[in-house]
Amino acid sequence: MEEEFLEVGELLTSELVGNAVLHSGMPGRLIQVRFDVDDTRLRIEVHDASGHPPAPRQPAATDGCGRGLLLVQALSLDWGYSPRANGIGKVVWCECSPHPIGAAT
């Protein structure tokens, strides 16, 4: 059953990890990825050392980047962020179904 999440899960993981690498501003700090899956949803969590909240942008049509969180919003059932339990950094998470929002089932 988990393979049904593979395509969208890879894309969402790539976007969240890419954002953590680009925007955490903490070279040499650990980025942690966690997954939780059942029959109805996949939860992806990306932990980083930055306390700055993620902020979706509205890029111009000619911008080469800035669409990652818009993609996460479009393909996720829900997404958000919270401070890490140990007080250092944040967790950005999203949840998706086996069939992305708007996809034919």
Side-chain angles (χ1 to χ4, degrees):
M1 180 60 103
E2 291 85 6
E3 58 274 353
E4 293 182 17
F5 295 99
L6 187 60
E7 190 173 312
V8 71
E10 282 182 354
L11 180 58
L12 294 173
T13 301
S14 175
E15 291 298 334
L16 294 181
V17 169
N19 282 347
V21 170
L22 286 172
H23 301 295
S24 72
M26 303 288 181
R29 294 292 183 115
L30 180 68
I31 293 173
Q32 183 178 44
V33 181
R34 293 184 181 173
F35 301 96
D36 183 40
V37 66
D38 62 29
D39 291 343
T40 61
R41 62 114 183 106
L42 167 66
R43 181 179 176 94
I44 303 164
E45 295 182 355
V46 177
H47 301 238
D48 68 49
S50 171
H52 297 290
R57 299 184 346 196
Q58 293 297 326
T62 57
D63 287 350
C65 61
R67 294 172 181 81
L69 287 177
L70 297 175
L71 190 58
V72 171
Q73 287 176 326
L75 296 177
S76 298
L77 297 170
D78 197 11
W79 80 279
Y81 74 96
S82 61
R84 289 177 71 182
N86 65 4
I88 300 171
K90 67 181 174 305
V91 179
V92 181
W93 59 269
C94 67
E95 293 185 350
C96 61
S97 71
H99 307 286
I101 304 298
T105 55

